[in-house]
Amino acid sequence: MSYFDAASSAPLHPVARQALLASLDEGWADPSRLYREGRRARLLLDAAREAAAEAVGCRPDELTFTSSGTRAVHDGIAGALAGRRRVGRHLIVSAVEHSSVLHSAELFEVTEVPVSRTGAVSPRSYVDALRPDTALACLQSANHEVGTVQPVAEVAAVCRQAGVPLLVDAAQSLGWGPVEGEWSLLTASAHKWGGPSGVGLLAVRKGVRFSPQGPVDERESGRAPGFENLPAIVAAAASLRAVRAEAAQEAVRLRELTARIRARVPRLVPDVDVVGDPEKRLPGIVTFSCLYVDGETLLHELDREGFSVSSGSSCTSSTLTPSHVLRAMGVLSEGNVRVSLPPGTTSEEVDRFLEVLPGAVAAVREKLGAPTPSAVVREDSLVVDALGKRCPIPVIELAKVIGDVPVGGTVRVLSDDEAARLDIPAWCEMREQEYVGEEPAENGTAYVIRRIS
């Protein structure tokens, strides 16, 4: 079985396992106590904090261990906004942030900064979004779904000039290297780099106004109440140091493997859109979407073939809505596959994945079939009734009938699936047809496409 979902959670690093087992014997006592066992636990905690701070690029007394990366994000945003409550409650986020950031932002007045089709923000967009009452800006160091690296240093400079702190979600990138730029707050999650789950990092620079919210106690400078999970913290810090030592060599190797996937998938599988920045990206992540494919079914096919991958398609989500990242980028969402290679992935595993993928996609397309569309011809226009059918069916039906109208003619696809709002325009771009727009329709929306070739 080949595990290709490291962006969700990386396999436990051997160093993390060793440190975890060792600290279970040595680090079980309360590090706040003055007796021998407590002092021993305190030494372990202090050493872990120093190691993690060195990797982050901050002072040890600026770093707090939390119970998860999500907890670090929630506490970081709430504390920074509370500390600057006299300035205002306005928050700036990018449209492709992790859901933990977006859910925190819902509690405040927020401006979402758009991204390009590669998933990158423009520093100019942050300039335009700044207001006198802006209390905080947030930006991920790299995207968790498509791997695009963000211009953190440039955005940090823009925010610093305006006197606005920048919180960076570094969950996906911290294992590969420190975050550049003059950021103010930083969060991360240990299980993303091969540490144990249940450990997050929150770094708050000296001089940043910060007021912890909720009940506090004396632990972690009052920023993370509760007894420290010392064995997990020690393992997290040890594994971070270990993966950093291996990062440069492993990054070169994984970039070669993902470049192979990016180049060969469009040649092996017809009607595929490879998304994300081809150059400014994390080493191990490559994402692509397949037309006329149900994402969940494709994941099951690949799982049967021995490959664990993930997807941003709406059919794989509990909300049955497309990935907010793919939607913000304006790219195809259905039939989406994210391959995120963990360190140690072999060339043979990637080659076998490329051998299996075309057959898996073809099998899904055959299972879905191409249902006979309910079409009504009206002179040089045609109406496709896809109401009640989930994507990719509306797109499949569009593809089957576009040739039935003359060049310059239009097809109106009636659909009540939210994913169609993203996938039909993406199909038009891939097929070099004109997407005219959408119109209200009874029980759904009418998407208008003009045939131009």
Side-chain angles (χ1 to χ4, degrees):
M1 189 74 181
S2 296
Y3 180 76
F4 285 0
D5 196 22
S8 292
S9 189
L12 192 67
H13 193 282
V15 169
R17 184 183 300 277
Q18 295 168 7
L20 183 65
L21 293 175
S23 56
L24 284 171
D25 292 331
E26 298 293 329
W28 48 267
D30 188 343
S32 67
R33 300 308 180 195
L34 299 179
Y35 42 70
R36 179 183 303 146
E37 294 85 354
R39 294 197 305 271
R40 185 184 299 133
R42 170 55 63 180
L43 287 174
L44 289 172
L45 180 59
D46 289 346
R49 196 184 312 277
E50 289 177 6
E54 181 182 4
V56 169
C58 67
R59 293 169 31 166
D61 59 351
E62 294 175 331
L63 185 73
T64 299
F65 292 110
T66 67
S67 59
S68 68
T70 295
R71 183 78 265 164
V73 167
H74 291 176
D75 290 349
I77 291 176
L81 286 168
R84 287 172 52 83
R85 57 187 175 274
R86 293 185 179 180
V87 174
R89 291 173 56 84
H90 180 235
L91 172 66
I92 302 173
V93 302
S94 83
V96 294
E97 294 299 313
H98 189 268
S99 59
S100 61
V101 174
L102 299 180
H103 289 327
S104 291
E106 292 173 356
L107 303 175
F108 306 95
E109 186 178 354
V110 61
T111 295
E112 276 196 8
V113 171
V115 297
S116 67
R117 284 187 63 84
T118 64
V121 302
S122 165
R124 182 67 205 179
S125 297
Y126 274 77
V127 174
D128 295 340
L130 287 167
R131 301 186 336 200
D133 62 339
T134 301
L136 180 68
C138 299
L139 178 63
Q140 59 191 193
S141 55
N143 187 259
H144 51 291
E145 289 194 30
V146 299
T148 298
V149 174
Q150 302 290 0
V152 172
E154 293 88 338
V155 173
V158 164
C159 292
R160 178 169 287 270
Q161 186 174 9
V164 174
L166 176 68
L167 183 148
V168 177
D169 172 14
Q172 286 297 334
S173 73
L174 193 61
W176 296 108
V179 177
E180 297 182 357
E182 297 182 284
W183 49 266
S184 303
L185 303 95
L186 181 142
T187 63
S189 185
H191 75 98
K192 299 291 188 179
W193 66 68
S197 59
V199 179
L201 305 182
L202 171 60
V204 182
R205 297 282 197 194
K206 292 295 182 183
V208 175
R209 292 186 178 275
F210 191 88
S211 178
Q213 299 300 287
V216 299
D217 60 21
E218 72 280 1
R219 299 183 187 276
E220 292 297 300
S221 302
R223 292 178 179 172
F227 199 94
E228 297 93 343
N229 185 353
L230 187 53
I233 288 172
V234 171
S239 58
L240 181 55
R241 175 177 285 179
V243 297
R244 279 291 189 83
E246 304 162 354
Q249 182 177 354
E250 193 64 18
V252 172
R253 213 176 57 80
L254 291 186
R255 283 191 187 281
E256 292 176 352
L257 295 179
T258 52
R260 186 185 308 173
I261 296 173
R262 289 184 67 93
R264 291 185 60 187
V265 164
R267 297 201 297 265
L268 294 170
V269 181
D271 301 316
V272 165
D273 185 17
V274 181
V275 301
D277 196 293
E279 300 295 335
K280 297 177 181 178
R281 57 184 174 86
L282 292 175
I285 297 179
V286 57
T287 305
F288 54 89
S289 298
C290 308
L291 274 176
Y292 321 132
V293 169
D294 175 83
E296 183 177 7
T297 307
L298 179 57
L299 261 58
H300 287 314
E301 287 287 339
L302 292 171
D303 184 48
R304 278 192 285 270
E305 293 289 348
F307 293 96
S308 302
V309 299
S310 63
S311 172
S313 295
S314 61
C315 54
T316 66
S317 166
S318 60
T319 62
L320 294 181
T321 58
S323 151
H324 71 277
V325 172
L326 301 178
R327 184 171 64 246
M329 293 167 61
V331 298
L332 184 69
S333 74
E334 290 305 316
N336 178 260
V337 174
R338 180 187 67 181
V339 175
S340 49
L341 307 178
T345 300
T346 66
S347 178
E348 290 75 17
E349 286 179 293
V350 169
D351 286 342
R352 183 172 174 273
F353 174 77
L354 292 171
E355 291 175 6
V356 164
L357 181 67
V361 173
V364 174
R365 286 173 173 165
E366 184 178 359
K367 285 180 181 179
L368 286 174
T372 303
S374 303
V376 179
V377 178
R378 297 175 181 172
E379 298 178 354
D380 61 348
S381 68
L382 184 148
V383 177
V384 173
D385 185 357
L387 293 171
K389 300 175 182 178
R390 284 174 48 194
C391 279
I393 300 304
V395 181
I396 291 175
E397 296 194 351
L398 166 62
K400 297 295 290 183
V401 302
I402 189 69
D404 294 342
V405 297
V407 173
T410 61
V411 177
R412 295 165 59 86
V413 180
L414 306 180
S415 176
D416 52 3
D417 185 356
E418 180 66 24
R421 179 168 281 111
L422 183 63
D423 290 345
I424 289 177
W427 178 89
C428 290
E429 180 164 338
M430 293 176 69
R431 282 285 176 264
E432 298 183 343
Q433 306 295 346
E434 180 185 354
Y435 177 65
V436 178
E438 61 180 71
E439 301 172 354
E442 186 176 358
N443 300 322
T445 302
Y447 300 94
V448 183
I449 301 91
R450 177 175 288 111
R451 182 183 175 187
I452 59 175
S453 62

